[in-house]
Amino acid sequence: MKAEADFENAFRSSMSQWWQLTVVLFITLVLCIGAYTQRAVFKNADNFFYDLLLQTTAAGNVSSRITIIDIDETSLSAVGQWPWPRYLLAKLVKELFDNQPAAMGLDILLPEPDRSSLKNIQLQFRKDFALNLGFTGVPPAMQDNDLYLAHIFRQADIVGARYFYFDHFNKKASPLRVPFDVVDKSGCLNANQAEGVLTNTPQIETALKYTGFLNSQSDMDGLLRSTPLLISLKGQTFTNLSLSTFLKAHNVKKLEVLENFFGLYIKADKYKIPITRDGYLHMRFSGPGRAHKFIGAADILNQNYSPADIQGKILFIGSSATGLNDIHHTVFDPSYPGLEIHAAILSSIYENRQVIKPIWSHAFISGGLMFTGILMMFLLFFSASPMVLLAGTMVWGSILLISSLLCFIKISVFISPVLPFILTVFTFVFTSFVRFTGARKASFAWFKKLAQAQQFTIKTIVGLVETRDPETGQHIVRTQKYARALVVHLKKSGLFPDILTDDYIETLYHASPLHDIGKVGIPDRILLKPGKLTDEEFEIMKTHSSIGRDTLQRTGRNDQGNYFLKMGALIAGSHHERWDGKGYPDGLCGENIPLCGRIMAICDVYDALISKRCYKPAFSHEKAMNIILVGRGSMFDPQFIDGFFAIEDTIKLIAARHKDL
């Protein structure tokens, strides 16, 4: 039999382990699929760790080669609201160009003619009022602000702006000048295909030798983490404004898209700029906005600046004014100026801090998931000790996080450890939960057997008492049920809410049969005497309360947490105490008598009255209740007497159902 039981336990343990392994394998496969498909929930988890790495490793360094010319709130207040007249913008650009910057990029798109031009004012008055306005003393070149601005742009060789559409075609397509030759030598570039483009006015567009687009795109959660460097339109590839300005500064005419171990990159001069297959750059911000050198446009116009901040620098001209709403939410700053995005891109290039997400990262993560799953299944199968599983989980989880952190710090390569880490933690939590549940189930089964053994022991002891005093019959069972019925009624009545818990009631029910256990210590000549006891014999008989109490207390000292034995001792020692203090063995009175003793006193007396004894006949229920009522406030707690009478029908039913044979 023992061999069969051992085999059955081993079989159950093995089946439990295989079930756990199946769950871990299933979760591993789900995460592997998620790593490839990049579903939103998995991408958000990767982005969370990516943002954390950006914040942790931010150095705060920006390139000193870049200066931002900002048409800020102060400039708008000093000069006038936006849009400025084009001649004023021309004055700003000319002032900057005279200080010989390395290159200038204009983060402003001018698709409509300047209505403040004298030429456009003449046309508007002729159209609206049929009036021909004339202006004297104005050079012809100053009568069209767009032509004048175009002249300054051509002279300054500034990099202008464009914006590509992806949702509709241009009504009237115009040929675009391709400022830089982009050659895809990798054969893997698949830049986003635009449907149309928004350009500057024709006068300005023809004056621009170099251009770059202003498109940027935030992720689903609203954070800007990457931006396109290359976009295609009608088979031609165009460059971002920041990249175009960088190329202009370094006099690069031709770009090559090449491929290395990590993926695609743009080779420009001596610099390698990693990009994704769709032409995006993963941005690495150094901190909150305005980390670069900012000079207000009004200061430039008023010549209130240091030429050293302009000469030889790459300039980006634009506006961070709140009203123009050109702001982005980054991991560092919810209001990062769009104008500074260009500077941040170039800073990451110059500081060699571009983030690389390898093209094989999804496959690598899937492999890491499979290895993690196998490792955790191995630990699950062969580690019987929870500490071994905990140690293995902590070590492997630390390896995943630290290796990803080191790759990001040392070589700017981001490989997310999130999914393998989630699998590691899930396996540990799941296995711990299963083992805890199994241990709890086994513990409960053991406790149930222990409780059964305890009840069996009680019945054996009570049976021994009944053997010594055969007249008690069903007295033990009846008093046990009386006590539970009474205490349940008291709880429903709202009495003693802090004491009468479910555990208290259950313990009272099981401990009440011990109330007369002390009778085993009374000599047979007294316990079994058919007649009335003498005073001396009665004194000996009364010692059964203290004998029972002391016996249970001595037993309970070895088990301080056994509340059952403690209550049994209280019941045995106090169920013959009286409310008026004239009871035994300690002469306790009132509420000094334990609650369980007061309950048992009523139940014990009632059952003794309705039962036949050698010294008296059995009384009727009515007579017994009258005797008990007389004892209200003297023998018994008045509240309990009221409760006992309230459940009188239940008491009669219990007495009838468990009548002595």
Side-chain angles (χ1 to χ4, degrees):
M1 293 295 293
K2 183 177 184 303
E4 291 180 358
D6 292 342
F7 174 78
E8 184 178 354
N9 290 334
F11 177 76
R12 288 180 178 177
S13 177
S14 177
M15 291 300 295
S16 176
Q17 283 185 322
W18 281 112
W19 174 72
Q20 294 174 53
L21 293 175
T22 301
V23 173
V24 173
L25 178 61
F26 174 75
I27 296 299
T28 301
L29 293 176
V30 170
L31 293 178
C32 284
I33 295 172
Y36 264 109
T37 59
Q38 283 291 285
R39 304 289 293 181
V41 62
F42 299 105
K43 192 168 184 179
N44 288 340
D46 289 342
N47 285 341
F48 172 79
F49 189 75
Y50 178 69
D51 296 342
L52 187 63
L53 286 181
L54 286 177
Q55 292 172 322
T56 304
T57 61
N61 298 330
V62 296
S63 176
S64 59
R65 304 184 185 190
I66 306 161
T67 298
I68 295 174
I69 309 302
D70 187 13
I71 304 174
D72 53 13
E73 305 283 359
T74 303
S75 300
L76 293 177
S77 299
V79 178
Q81 294 300 309
W82 190 259
W84 281 354
R86 301 282 161 85
Y87 66 82
L88 198 58
L89 188 59
K91 181 180 179 182
L92 175 66
V93 172
K94 188 175 186 309
E95 179 69 25
L96 295 170
F97 176 68
D98 290 343
N99 285 275
Q100 300 179 341
M104 289 188 291
L106 184 66
D107 185 34
I108 299 172
L109 193 59
L110 305 169
E112 297 180 355
D114 185 357
R115 294 188 177 185
S116 65
S117 295
L118 297 180
K119 176 183 176 182
N120 291 334
I121 293 175
Q122 287 176 325
L123 292 174
Q124 195 67 39
F125 268 76
R126 186 179 303 124
K127 177 182 177 182
D128 294 340
F129 306 107
L131 294 176
N132 293 318
L133 297 182
F135 301 99
T136 59
V138 181
M142 295 293 294
Q143 294 186 15
D144 189 335
N145 290 349
D146 288 321
L147 282 177
Y148 179 66
L149 181 62
H151 169 70
I152 297 300
F153 279 179
R154 185 179 293 106
Q155 187 181 50
D157 216 8
I158 197 171
V159 180
R162 291 170 176 167
Y163 185 85
F164 287 105
Y165 292 119
F166 292 87
D167 53 356
H168 64 273
F169 295 92
N170 282 48
K171 292 182 180 180
K172 182 179 179 181
S174 56
L176 295 179
R177 177 183 296 169
V178 182
F180 303 98
D181 186 16
V182 180
V183 180
D184 178 20
K185 290 189 175 182
S186 69
C188 299
L189 179 64
N190 186 25
N192 290 339
Q193 299 291 326
E195 302 292 343
V197 62
L198 179 66
T199 62
N200 297 284
T201 62
Q203 298 98 319
I204 295 174
E205 193 68 25
T206 55
L208 295 173
K209 184 178 179 181
Y210 301 100
T211 55
F213 59 81
L214 300 178
N215 298 72
S216 62
Q217 183 176 351
S218 300
D219 288 341
M220 295 285 290
D221 58 1
L223 284 178
L224 181 68
R225 297 185 180 90
S226 60
T227 191
L229 288 187
L230 302 173
I231 290 179
S232 294
L233 177 66
K234 296 181 180 180
Q236 297 176 313
T237 303
F238 297 87
T239 51
N240 186 286
L241 178 68
S242 55
L243 180 58
S244 296
T245 309
F246 171 82
L247 297 174
K248 167 67 172 59
H250 290 268
N251 197 29
V252 176
K253 304 294 185 183
K254 180 179 179 181
L255 291 180
E256 292 181 344
V257 178
L258 303 172
E259 185 175 15
N260 60 14
F261 175 72
F262 296 107
L264 303 187
Y265 67 93
I266 295 173
K267 186 177 183 303
D269 198 10
K270 62 180 180 178
Y271 298 95
K272 294 181 179 180
I273 307 170
I275 58 173
T276 63
R277 287 184 173 178
D278 52 359
Y280 276 70
L281 169 75
H282 296 293
M283 302 191 64
R284 191 169 187 176
F285 297 99
S286 57
R290 298 193 171 274
H292 294 82
K293 178 66 178 180
F294 273 74
I295 302 177
D299 291 331
I300 298 296
L301 293 174
N302 295 328
Q303 296 185 341
N304 183 25
Y305 64 93
S306 172
D309 293 330
I310 307 297
Q311 189 173 12
K313 307 290 185 180
I314 294 178
L315 308 182
F316 287 105
I317 307 168
S319 177
S320 68
T322 304
L324 299 182
N325 202 32
D326 185 18
I327 57 174
H328 298 273
H329 193 171
T330 71
V331 68
F332 292 103
D333 192 341
S335 303
Y336 197 93
L339 175 60
E340 197 173 3
I341 296 292
H342 308 296
I345 293 173
L346 296 198
S347 281
S348 66
I349 295 174
Y350 284 129
E351 299 293 324
N352 195 27
R353 290 174 57 83
Q354 310 100 311
V355 177
I356 302 172
K357 292 186 178 181
I359 55 174
W360 40 261
S361 62
H362 297 335
F364 186 83
I365 292 171
S366 297
L369 283 166
M370 293 303 298
F371 180 82
T372 299
I374 293 171
L375 175 64
M376 297 307 294
M377 285 189 285
F378 178 84
L379 288 174
L380 172 62
F381 201 84
F382 291 102
S383 62
S385 170
M387 294 306 299
V388 174
L389 183 62
L390 175 61
T393 300
M394 293 181 64
V395 169
W396 181 241
S398 299
I399 290 174
L400 289 172
L401 297 178
I402 293 173
S403 58
S404 178
L405 178 62
L406 289 177
C407 283
F408 196 78
I409 293 174
K410 297 296 183 182
I411 55 177
S412 294
V413 172
F414 175 71
I415 301 175
S416 175
V418 172
L419 295 185
F421 185 78
I422 289 175
L423 178 60
T424 303
V425 174
F426 168 82
T427 304
F428 173 75
V429 173
F430 169 72
T431 304
S432 299
F433 174 77
V434 170
R435 291 186 177 182
F436 170 77
T437 304
R440 186 178 180 184
K441 185 177 180 181
S443 176
F444 180 76
W446 176 85
F447 176 77
K448 189 175 181 181
K449 289 181 179 180
L450 183 62
Q452 290 172 346
Q454 187 181 60
Q455 291 304 307
F456 178 78
T457 303
I458 293 171
K459 289 181 180 179
T460 302
I461 296 173
V462 172
L464 179 61
V465 175
E466 290 177 345
T467 303
R468 298 278 332 280
D469 185 11
E471 288 187 350
T472 56
Q474 292 290 305
H475 171 72
I476 298 295
V477 176
R478 289 193 297 270
T479 53
Q480 186 181 34
K481 293 184 179 295
Y482 298 155
R484 181 163 65 180
L486 177 56
V487 78
V488 167
H489 172 77
L490 294 174
K491 180 182 179 182
K492 290 181 179 178
S493 300
L495 297 175
F496 311 103
D498 296 335
I499 300 177
L500 298 182
T501 63
D502 291 340
D503 288 340
Y504 182 93
I505 296 172
E506 192 68 17
T507 305
L508 174 65
Y509 175 76
H510 290 297
S512 60
L514 298 175
H515 68 280
D516 277 338
I517 192 175
K519 286 185 178 181
V520 297
I522 304 300
D524 288 346
R525 63 181 176 83
I526 297 175
L527 185 65
L528 303 178
K529 184 177 179 179
K532 185 177 180 181
L533 299 177
T534 65
D535 292 343
E536 182 181 353
E537 289 171 335
F538 186 64
E539 289 299 322
I540 295 174
M541 187 64 177
K542 289 197 296 184
T543 60
H544 82 276
S545 292
S546 57
I547 291 173
R549 177 193 62 197
D550 296 343
T551 301
L552 293 173
Q553 283 181 344
R554 282 196 300 270
T555 305
R557 285 195 195 103
N558 298 324
D559 188 0
Q560 294 295 325
N562 196 323
Y563 188 51
F564 165 79
L565 290 177
K566 292 180 180 179
M567 183 174 288
L570 287 174
I571 293 173
S574 63
H575 73 288
H576 285 296
E577 298 287 356
R578 290 170 52 108
W579 186 253
D580 58 10
K582 296 179 180 180
Y584 62 87
D586 298 320
L588 301 175
C589 67
E591 293 185 356
N592 291 325
I593 305 171
L595 194 69
C596 54
R598 283 180 267 164
I599 292 170
M600 198 65 208
I602 301 172
C603 300
D604 187 43
V605 169
Y606 170 80
D607 198 69
L609 291 172
I610 67 169
S611 301
K612 181 181 178 182
R613 293 289 184 263
C614 60
Y615 53 84
K616 75 165 193 67
F619 295 162
S620 66
H621 168 76
E622 289 73 16
K623 184 175 181 179
M625 294 297 281
N626 287 333
I627 293 172
I628 288 177
L629 184 59
V630 171
R632 184 181 189 274
S634 57
M635 288 186 64
F636 310 116
D637 185 336
Q639 293 185 94
F640 291 0
I641 293 298
D642 295 340
F644 197 76
F645 272 82
I647 60 169
E648 183 175 359
D649 291 340
T650 303
I651 298 299
K652 288 174 64 176
L653 183 63
I654 294 171
R657 187 173 293 172
H658 300 281
K659 185 182 296 185
D660 290 333
L661 300 176

